Amino acid sequence: MAYGLAVRITREQLISITTEAGQQALASFRNLATETIHFKSEFDLVTDVDRSVQALLIERLTEACPGARFLAEEQDVHLTLTDEPTFIIDPIDGTTNFVHGVPHFCVSVAYAETKKPVVATVVAPALGEVFSAEHGMGAFCGTRRINVSRTDNPQHALACTGLFGGAADSMEAGIQTLVRIQSQLRDVRRMGAAALDLCYVAAGRFDIFWERGVSAWDIAAGMLIVEEAGGVVSGVLGETDEVLFARSVLAANPTLHRWFLSLTKQGT
Ligand code: IPD
Ligand code: CA
């Protein structure tokens, strides 16, 4: 029994609805008319597909969970997250990749109770992958259980970061971290879809992901998926309270998470 609702959405229901949304996005991928691409700001794109995928998700999720609230990226007004059951939605994470025909984009949906994601799905339709998790039940890629890597030596670690151009201070701090840390790692990638980058940490493909300037919808689903895969998620300075609103994220296995924080405490 979920808080305020008769029934909590199941992982299977969420996978089914998010997969349908992913197929809708995929139908327009590499076939996008220029006039359907708009600017939210100089660096922040939105397309008519983002908006139609979000509308589909809200319709289907309302049918599945009447009474649930929505915190969705492309809403005109963003609600404050409360203890009430809430879906946190990024209809397309990696919109810039989507617009440029790069397949690393996804649909990300988390269902939160008492402000914490408890069921989550990230669907990457152009890559044919479905990541999911439920609190206490583990994380999955398709039907396969996934776990974070066991790499404990930074020199053997492949990391991923994001450098979002929309916030100059986040960009500057992110570049400084990158300059100091890159030579201590095997290598660093910048893939462009935070939700999916977190899933790659959960699957042990990346050992660390960090980014400044992220929003709750970029990280809510991926955060639960990493935690259920045995990883640790915080803000880049180790913030553990209200991580969804810390405006930064650090995800890794416990050893590399501690290592990264020991560097940030030295001013990285
Ligand atoms: C963005 C992507 C990108 C990250 C930005 C996000 P959007 O989300 O996750 O990788 O660098 O911080 O805003 O705009 O594509 O949904
Ligand atoms: Ca988005």
Side-chain angles (χ1 to χ4, degrees), residues 66-135:
R69 303 169 88 242
F70 292 91
L71 174 56
E73 179 174 15
E74 310 308 343
Q75 284 169 322
D76 293 336
V77 177
H78 294 129
L79 297 180
T80 308
L81 187 62
T82 67
D83 284 348
E84 297 289 326
T86 305
F87 288 101
I88 306 173
I89 297 175
D90 193 337
I92 299 183
D93 184 52
T95 299
T96 303
N97 283 346
F98 179 76
V99 163
H100 285 264
V102 176
H104 194 83
F105 68 89
C106 61
V107 179
S108 172
V109 183
Y111 172 80
E113 291 174 357
T114 61
K115 298 184 186 156
K116 291 195 171 34
V118 288
V119 188
T121 307
V122 172
V123 171
L127 303 170
E129 291 199 307
V130 176
F131 296 91
S132 64
E134 182 170 354
H135 179 67

Side-chain angles (χ1 to χ4, degrees), residues 175-196:
I175 289 171
Q176 282 174 18
T177 304
L178 185 59
V179 167
R180 279 197 59 187
I181 207 172
Q182 169 137 15
S183 61
Q184 302 183 54
L185 297 162
R186 178 166 284 165
D187 212 336
V188 181
R189 300 286 179 260
R190 195 264 186 263
M191 305 288 278
L196 196 48

Side-chain angles (χ1 to χ4, degrees), residues 28 100 199:
S28 306
H100 285 264
C199 292

Side-chain angles (χ1 to χ4, degrees), residues 11 130-134 137-146 225:
R11 189 171 62 91
V130 176
F131 296 91
S132 64
E134 182 170 354
M137 305 294 284
F140 300 85
C141 178
T143 55
R144 187 171 53 82
R145 235 355 233 266
I146 51 173
I225 294 169

